[in-house]
Amino acid sequence: MSAIAPTPTRQRRKEARPQELLDAALALFVEKGFAATRSDEVAARAGVSKGTLYLYYPSKEELFKAVVRQNLSTLIAEGAQIAGQFEGPTPELLALLLRTWWERVGSQPASGIFKIMFAEVRNFPEIAQFYVDEVIIPAHQLLGGAVERGIKRGEFRKLPVDDVVHALVAPMIFMSLHEHSFGCCPVRGHDYSPESVLTTQIDLVLKGLEVRPAATAAKKDRKR
Amino acid sequence: MSAIAPTPTRQRRKEARPQELLDAALALFVEKGFAATRSDEVAARAGVSKGTLYLYYPSKEELFKAVVRQNLSTLIAEGAQIAGQFEGPTPELLALLLRTWWERVGSQPASGIFKIMFAEVRNFPEIAQFYVDEVIIPAHQLLGGAVERGIKRGEFRKLPVDDVVHALVAPMIFMSLHEHSFGCCPVRGHDYSPESVLTTQIDLVLKGLEVRPAATAAKKDRKR
Amino acid sequence: MSAIAPTPTRQRRKEARPQELLDAALALFVEKGFAATRSDEVAARAGVSKGTLYLYYPSKEELFKAVVRQNLSTLIAEGAQIAGQFEGPTPELLALLLRTWWERVGSQPASGIFKIMFAEVRNFPEIAQFYVDEVIIPAHQLLGGAVERGIKRGEFRKLPVDDVVHALVAPMIFMSLHEHSFGCCPVRGHDYSPESVLTTQIDLVLKGLEVRPAATAAKKDRKR
Amino acid sequence: MSAIAPTPTRQRRKEARPQELLDAALALFVEKGFAATRSDEVAARAGVSKGTLYLYYPSKEELFKAVVRQNLSTLIAEGAQIAGQFEGPTPELLALLLRTWWERVGSQPASGIFKIMFAEVRNFPEIAQFYVDEVIIPAHQLLGGAVERGIKRGEFRKLPVDDVVHALVAPMIFMSLHEHSFGCCPVRGHDYSPESVLTTQIDLVLKGLEVRPAATAAKKDRKR
DNA sequence: AATGAATGAGATTTCATTCAT
DNA sequence: GATGAATGAAATCTCATTCAT
């Protein structure tokens, strides 16, 4: 039909290979962990032979690093997208950031990367620093910025910013971890839909941040 | 001197063996993960030979299960201790529960069990159910009960109990995970002391749960 | 200009290919040995792709044999050149043969073939006989003939011809072997120029062969 | 019978293992070369399993080095023994050194080490230096010393010492190489007994070294 | 009961060889 | 003819497990 000759199969596949291999590896690493995943499994899932895998990544460890890097970049990119030129009230900004994060990251396959990180960083110190620099710090800056904005604008109480960020972030990532670990084995008797957890989490934290005349309960608690 | 002959070293050690082995195994499994931990390392750390390990546990997998089971029991026992016959206002009860949990569990070595669980459950399905039944559900019942108490007594807003529990629990466990993963690689520029995080988390959530006349911000957020 | 069209590059190279491949292979086999030389290295050094190599030689083993055969032929051809219609005194003939051999063979890259032969014949029995028939025997005949000529003409003592040939040949080839093995790693403190070794070797052996009235020392030695 | 309990089989074997493995490895490395020898072959020949080999030597390369070192040390020790307190005429000393070397080294299995060295040194630079320092240099010093002694005592002509040593050594080692390479494939029609070669070599070289009034032939040869 | 030498299945990785383009 | 992506057999090495002492 077209005047352009069709890309030859070989070549088309060759270009797609790295991505196919990384996807296969991500899925398996998330499911079974790094050590328990065999090289041939990754190759098989990507539809190639064992040897081909080593044509693209010189060792299983390098493959692992490539998987982490590729998916972290995505995370970072998402973060940048999410942030930006929001104009309205800060509570709405925070709600938007958390919801968007869940839709774009937390509920996507790439969120498996969190499970991998927690499970394996201690065996890959180079990656630890990488992750801290490229994910944790930017994420904290993004959310920390929003919290500070709320405090400055008098919308939020004056609380330690980093700790608030922790309280915001932890339940989100925790949900991802759960899905990838206990996901298959539902906690019977519990109403555990991410959607609901998310909504309540936002409600709760925003209320907790809200400035009000009577803040007696918190003071008491402070004394410790 | 005493009429009681001193326990011979051999025997004394013999009785302590299982515990020593489990402790060594826990430490290593937490540090390196199940697959990456070698049997001889465990034996060496427990001060016995490889062969001896197999006298007590018939396989590395069984050793792993024993480690998890033993430490889950500990967790459960801790849970029971923490709960109890509290009489005062519910916010104080919740604060007490969270603080006690952190002191007795989260900040202790045994908290490494959380990291193990997330990393390995999918490879040990039998354990998954075990953990759900023995840890997740009891913990949720404990905290869920407290939240419900607060709602019934008119101290807390009516929010979905399970979701509130998630918001309470996640940041706590998340801190444990961090210590065991990125602990060695501090996030420079961030003020991340568990003590501070804990205090803010309690303050934030209790404020979020508090009943007040004007709850406008939350309503707005709900619409989306 | 010329009526003859210039050979197209492709074709010109095509004809040169086998030689280029054999040269590349010889160099690498000499340097690293048969097993440690990778096919792609040979191809790369010859400036072609791995696939092309297999268009010319059906396997690495056949390539090896071709390398040996081709270079053995060279050795043989050299042998023929060296021999010839010499008329003068036999000591001079021998000196000439040894010097010429060193210049034309021993000091040339092709001498690497000796290293290969010693290292690999036992893995390639077909080649062993080939080498014996085509190199060792002709060489021995050539030198043996010269030695016999000397004995017959009364220039040399009556010594076992084959053993004398060994004493003539060994130091020469030994030098080649050294260059290809320890060449890169000079024996400090030793004066080891091939030129000097060669001169002394000729001097020594010719003196040793020389007929003289008093040959007492040698007789004593014989007794043992 | 004896009061001494018999060494338990396990332990007895354990002590013998390194030697058994080194012997097996030497034989196979000499026969097939380093790269072409498979680890399990070595293990099998030593009567143990693959895994056991790695209990004693952490890699095939280390095994190779151990083989070389063990056998070279022997060589050096032998050299030292042989040298020493010889009192008689230098020609007899040289003859003794060469004969003893052949009996104790050249004709023994350990002589296979020479073949290995020539074939593999370029791939193991550390070993190259080791060999030069521990074998080549001591050997040259030993023989060089003897040659110098002869020159000083007026028994030998003044010739470049290092070159003479080369002429002495080369035919001996060359014989070893031959046995290990073409040994299985005799050069028909040639009388090639080591004994005979050795005798002639000694005769020839000692005559060549001998001091005599008329040394015309050598002078002529020098001119070129 | 305790040991640690021995085992061998299994994992990673390499590389000669093939074959679609 | 030429290419180089793909293959998979084979080699090295690891480590959970056994068992003679």
Side-chain angles (χ1 to χ4, degrees):
Chain A
M1 266 130 268
S2 153
I4 296 156
T7 316
T9 306
R10 267 291 176 94
Q11 196 172 331
R12 214 182 329 122
R13 294 197 66 197
K14 194 209 157 182
E15 275 155 23
R17 279 288 143 74
Q19 190 56 55
E20 288 166 7
L21 287 165
L22 291 175
D23 290 348
L26 174 65
L28 287 164
F29 288 156
V30 169
E31 183 183 330
K32 326 170 74 140
F34 173 73
T37 298
R38 298 201 322 283
S39 309
D40 356 10
E41 280 182 285
V42 175
R45 185 185 250 254
V48 300
S49 76
K50 217 179 345 172
T52 302
L53 172 58
Y54 283 86
L55 235 46
Y56 292 87
Y57 301 96
S59 72
K60 193 178 149 188
E61 196 166 319
E62 285 305 320
L63 172 64
F64 177 69
K65 291 184 194 168
V67 165
V68 173
R69 273 194 282 265
Q70 199 224 16
N71 288 281
L72 291 190
S73 310
T74 304
L75 290 184
I76 299 156
E78 297 290 347
Q81 274 188 23
I82 296 167
Q85 47 293 71
F86 188 85
E87 298 280 341
T90 312
E92 283 181 21
L93 170 58
L94 270 190
L96 178 65
L97 286 170
L98 296 183
R99 283 199 177 281
T100 314
W101 183 91
W102 178 253
E103 276 163 25
R104 299 266 187 83
V105 183
S107 64
Q108 298 306 119
S111 67
I113 208 76
F114 299 125
K115 180 183 156 184
I116 300 189
M117 289 308 301
F118 280 112
E120 312 280 356
V121 260
R122 277 183 82 167
N123 300 331
F124 297 90
E126 329 151 48
I127 287 185
Q129 197 55 54
F130 187 71
Y131 182 76
V132 166
D133 293 343
E134 306 277 334
V135 178
I136 298 187
I137 291 181
H140 271 248
Q141 272 165 352
L142 177 59
L143 286 169
V147 172
E148 269 168 1
R149 178 185 190 266
I151 295 174
K152 273 194 198 126
R153 291 172 49 147
E155 295 162 312
F156 293 160
R157 294 191 288 141
K158 280 184 189 164
L159 286 172
V161 173
D162 288 336
D163 301 345
V164 172
V165 169
H166 180 97
L168 286 164
V169 153
M172 310 295 292
I173 294 180
F174 199 72
M175 249 192 314
S176 279
L177 293 176
H178 246 280
E179 308 267 295
H180 289 290
S181 304
F182 295 93
C184 51
C185 159
V187 180
R188 239 169 290 279
H190 283 250
D191 177 17
Y192 214 72
S193 90
E195 178 51 35
S196 166
V197 168
L198 181 56
T199 301
T200 304
Q201 157 76 358
I202 290 170
D203 179 354
L204 195 60
V205 173
L206 292 184
K207 227 18 151 280
L209 286 167
E210 209 169 75
V211 176
R212 279 152 306 131
T216 47
K219 264 177 201 153
K220 271 190 212 160
D221 188 68
R222 269 281 158 81
K223 81 196 169 196
R224 191 235 132 111
Chain B
M1 265 116 267
S2 155
I4 297 157
T7 317
T9 306
R10 251 310 168 84
Q11 195 171 333
R12 217 182 325 120
R13 290 200 61 203
K14 188 195 149 190
E15 275 155 24
R17 280 286 149 74
Q19 189 56 54
E20 287 167 7
L21 287 166
L22 291 175
D23 289 348
L26 174 64
L28 288 165
F29 287 153
V30 169
E31 183 182 330
K32 326 170 73 136
F34 173 72
T37 296
R38 297 202 325 280
S39 311
D40 356 11
E41 278 182 286
V42 175
R45 186 186 249 253
V48 300
S49 77
K50 220 182 339 175
T52 304
L53 172 59
Y54 281 83
L55 289 178
Y56 292 88
Y57 301 96
S59 74
K60 192 179 153 189
E61 204 165 311
E62 285 305 321
L63 171 64
F64 178 75
K65 290 183 196 165
V67 166
V68 173
R69 274 194 286 265
Q70 199 226 16
N71 287 281
L72 289 190
S73 312
T74 304
L75 289 185
I76 297 157
E78 298 290 348
Q81 275 188 24
I82 295 169
Q85 45 296 70
F86 187 85
E87 297 281 340
T90 312
E92 282 181 21
L93 170 58
L94 270 190
L96 178 65
L97 286 171
L98 296 184
R99 282 200 176 280
T100 314
W101 183 91
W102 178 252
E103 277 162 25
R104 300 265 185 83
V105 184
S107 63
Q108 298 307 119
S111 67
I113 205 74
F114 298 124
K115 182 181 156 185
I116 298 192
M117 288 307 303
F118 280 111
E120 308 282 355
V121 258
R122 277 184 82 168
N123 300 330
F124 295 90
E126 328 145 50
I127 286 183
Q129 198 55 53
F130 195 69
Y131 181 76
V132 166
D133 292 344
E134 307 277 342
V135 177
I136 298 185
I137 290 179
H140 270 248
Q141 271 165 353
L142 177 59
L143 286 170
V147 171
E148 268 169 0
R149 179 185 189 267
I151 294 175
K152 273 194 197 125
R153 291 172 50 150
E155 295 163 311
F156 294 160
R157 295 191 289 142
K158 281 184 189 165
L159 286 172
V161 174
D162 289 335
D163 299 347
V164 171
V165 170
H166 180 97
L168 286 164
V169 155
M172 311 295 291
I173 295 181
F174 200 72
M175 250 191 316
S176 278
L177 293 177
H178 247 280
E179 307 266 295
H180 290 289
S181 306
F182 295 92
C184 51
C185 159
V187 181
R188 240 169 288 279
H190 283 249
D191 178 17
Y192 213 74
S193 89
E195 178 51 36
S196 166
V197 169
L198 182 56
T199 301
T200 305
Q201 157 76 359
I202 291 170
D203 177 354
L204 196 60
V205 174
L206 292 184
K207 225 21 149 279
L209 287 168
E210 209 169 74
V211 176
R212 279 151 307 130
T216 47
K219 262 176 203 155
K220 269 192 215 160
D221 188 68
R222 270 280 158 79
K223 81 192 166 194
R224 190 245 122 112
Chain C
M1 264 125 267
S2 156
I4 297 158
T7 316
T9 307
R10 255 302 171 86
Q11 196 171 332
R12 217 184 323 120
R13 292 199 60 202
K14 188 196 147 188
E15 275 155 23
R17 282 284 150 73
Q19 190 55 53
E20 287 167 6
L21 286 165
L22 291 174
D23 290 348
L26 174 63
L28 288 165
F29 287 152
V30 169
E31 184 184 329
K32 324 169 75 136
F34 174 72
T37 297
R38 296 201 328 279
S39 311
D40 357 10
E41 278 182 287
V42 176
R45 187 186 248 253
V48 299
S49 77
K50 221 184 332 175
T52 304
L53 172 58
Y54 281 83
L55 289 177
Y56 291 90
Y57 301 95
S59 73
K60 193 178 152 189
E61 203 165 312
E62 285 306 321
L63 171 64
F64 179 76
K65 290 185 196 164
V67 165
V68 172
R69 275 194 285 265
Q70 198 224 19
N71 288 280
L72 289 189
S73 313
T74 305
L75 288 184
I76 299 157
E78 299 290 348
Q81 275 189 22
I82 295 168
Q85 47 293 72
F86 188 86
E87 297 278 343
T90 311
E92 282 181 21
L93 170 57
L94 270 190
L96 179 64
L97 286 171
L98 295 183
R99 282 199 178 281
T100 315
W101 183 90
W102 179 251
E103 277 162 25
R104 300 267 185 82
V105 183
S107 64
Q108 298 306 119
S111 67
I113 206 74
F114 299 123
K115 180 180 158 186
I116 297 191
M117 289 308 302
F118 280 110
E120 307 284 356
V121 258
R122 277 182 83 168
N123 299 331
F124 296 90
E126 328 145 50
I127 285 183
Q129 198 54 54
F130 195 68
Y131 182 75
V132 167
D133 293 344
E134 306 279 341
V135 178
I136 298 186
I137 291 181
H140 270 249
Q141 270 165 354
L142 177 59
L143 285 169
V147 172
E148 267 169 359
R149 179 185 188 266
I151 294 175
K152 274 197 196 120
R153 291 171 49 149
E155 295 163 310
F156 292 160
R157 295 190 289 140
K158 280 185 190 163
L159 285 173
V161 173
D162 289 335
D163 300 346
V164 172
V165 170
H166 180 97
L168 285 165
V169 154
M172 311 294 290
I173 294 180
F174 200 72
M175 248 192 314
S176 278
L177 293 177
H178 246 280
E179 308 266 296
H180 289 290
S181 305
F182 295 92
C184 50
C185 158
V187 181
R188 238 169 290 279
H190 283 249
D191 179 16
Y192 214 72
S193 89
E195 177 51 35
S196 167
V197 169
L198 182 57
T199 301
T200 304
Q201 159 76 359
I202 290 171
D203 178 354
L204 195 60
V205 173
L206 292 185
K207 240 349 165 291
L209 286 168
E210 209 170 75
V211 177
R212 279 150 308 129
T216 48
K219 262 177 203 153
K220 268 192 215 159
D221 188 67
R222 269 279 158 79
K223 82 192 165 198
R224 190 240 125 104
Chain D
M1 266 124 268
S2 153
I4 296 158
T7 316
T9 306
R10 266 291 175 95
Q11 195 172 333
R12 213 182 328 120
R13 296 196 67 198
K14 194 209 155 180
E15 275 155 23
R17 278 288 144 73
Q19 191 56 55
E20 287 166 6
L21 287 166
L22 290 174
D23 290 348
L26 174 64
L28 286 165
F29 287 156
V30 169
E31 183 184 330
K32 325 171 74 138
F34 173 73
T37 297
R38 297 200 323 282
S39 310
D40 356 10
E41 279 183 286
V42 175
R45 185 186 250 252
V48 299
S49 77
K50 216 183 344 171
T52 303
L53 171 59
Y54 283 87
L55 235 46
Y56 291 88
Y57 300 97
S59 73
K60 195 178 148 188
E61 197 166 317
E62 284 305 319
L63 172 64
F64 176 69
K65 290 185 194 167
V67 165
V68 172
R69 273 194 282 263
Q70 198 222 20
N71 288 281
L72 292 190
S73 308
T74 305
L75 291 185
I76 299 157
E78 297 289 347
Q81 274 188 20
I82 297 165
Q85 47 294 70
F86 188 86
E87 298 278 341
T90 312
E92 283 181 20
L93 170 58
L94 269 190
L96 177 65
L97 285 172
L98 296 184
R99 283 199 175 281
T100 315
W101 184 91
W102 178 252
E103 278 162 23
R104 300 265 186 84
V105 183
S107 63
Q108 298 305 120
S111 68
I113 209 79
F114 299 126
K115 179 183 154 186
I116 301 187
M117 290 308 301
F118 280 111
E120 313 277 358
V121 258
R122 276 183 82 169
N123 299 332
F124 298 91
E126 328 152 49
I127 288 186
Q129 198 56 53
F130 182 75
Y131 183 77
V132 166
D133 293 344
E134 304 278 334
V135 178
I136 298 186
I137 290 180
H140 269 249
Q141 271 165 352
L142 177 59
L143 286 169
V147 171
E148 268 170 0
R149 178 186 191 265
I151 293 174
K152 275 196 195 120
R153 291 170 52 147
E155 296 163 310
F156 293 159
R157 294 191 287 141
K158 281 185 189 161
L159 286 173
V161 174
D162 288 337
D163 299 345
V164 172
V165 169
H166 180 98
L168 285 164
V169 154
M172 311 295 290
I173 294 180
F174 200 72
M175 249 192 313
S176 280
L177 293 177
H178 247 280
E179 307 266 296
H180 290 290
S181 305
F182 296 93
C184 52
C185 159
V187 181
R188 240 169 290 279
H190 283 251
D191 179 16
Y192 212 74
S193 90
E195 179 50 36
S196 166
V197 168
L198 181 57
T199 302
T200 304
Q201 157 76 358
I202 290 170
D203 178 355
L204 195 60
V205 173
L206 292 184
K207 225 20 149 279
L209 286 168
E210 209 169 75
V211 176
R212 280 151 305 128
T216 46
K219 264 178 204 153
K220 269 191 216 160
D221 189 65
R222 271 278 159 83
K223 82 194 164 194
R224 190 241 123 105

